[in-house]
Amino acid sequence: MIFYDCATAPNPRRARMFIAEKGLEIETRQISIAEGEQLSDAFRAVNPRATIPVLVTDEGTILTENLGIAAYLEAQSPEPPLMGKTPDEKGRVLMWNAIAEQQGGMPIAEALRNGHPAFKDRPIPGPENYPQIPELAQRGRDRVGAFFDLLEDHLQGSPFLAGEDFTLADITGFVFVDFARVIKMRIPETSTATQAWFDRIKSRPSASL
């Protein structure tokens, strides 16, 4: 297998943490988004959509989305289970993974990519350029605030996002909560359950990668 990574971006970090939690060693190639390497002909020969992460499987399949990468690795290396053991757990993991992506990751990206001059004409990852929409930056910040509230409400009654065990959903949630720093948003001081959850995950070796 070959894993295409970018050390500074949140989505590759999610895959990197999942790989580490599985105890796998996979050949890794770094692609610098800052230098635009994802738009190079060499990388687009691997992934024409010019996004990272990418996992090229032993069978030669090219997986370009975190959920696809996680599902493949979970099936190939089922221990430790990171996507649930029972039907109920599997459903909760994918539900909270989607919540973290759509209500956490997406608004952070909206705020950053539509509000920062470094992303001029690049508010959407991929090969095409689009104009920034400044209004989306403020909406994104408002939605991140709502995401923090949602996490706190849920985590007051659950040690991890999908229940009693650490899963893919926690990796996704943790990475995006941590990445919110780029839009100068942090876990509110009053969100003690969220902070405790965050600290538990931060103490895991995979979180330092």
Side-chain angles (χ1 to χ4, degrees), residues 18 22 67 70-71 74-75 77-95 97 162-170:
F18 193 92
K22 286 291 184 181
L67 190 55
E74 182 87 347
S77 303
E79 295 296 331
L82 294 176
M83 298 181 73
K85 299 182 288 294
T86 67
D88 185 77
E89 290 174 350
K90 292 176 185 291
R92 290 201 307 267
V93 170
L94 292 187
M95 179 183 77
N97 188 73
E164 296 297 318
D165 298 318
F166 172 84
T167 68
L168 170 69
D170 297 293

Side-chain angles (χ1 to χ4, degrees), residues 104-121:
M106 188 177 296
I108 292 169
E110 281 188 344
L112 175 64
R113 286 180 166 270
N114 286 284
H116 197 290
F119 289 92
K120 183 179 184 299
D121 297 325

Side-chain angles (χ1 to χ4, degrees), residues 148 151-153 155 177 187 191-199:
F148 282 141
L151 287 179
E152 180 63 15
D153 182 64
L155 289 167
V177 167
I187 297 170
S191 296
T192 54
T194 304
Q195 189 63 59
W197 163 82
F198 184 87
D199 291 342

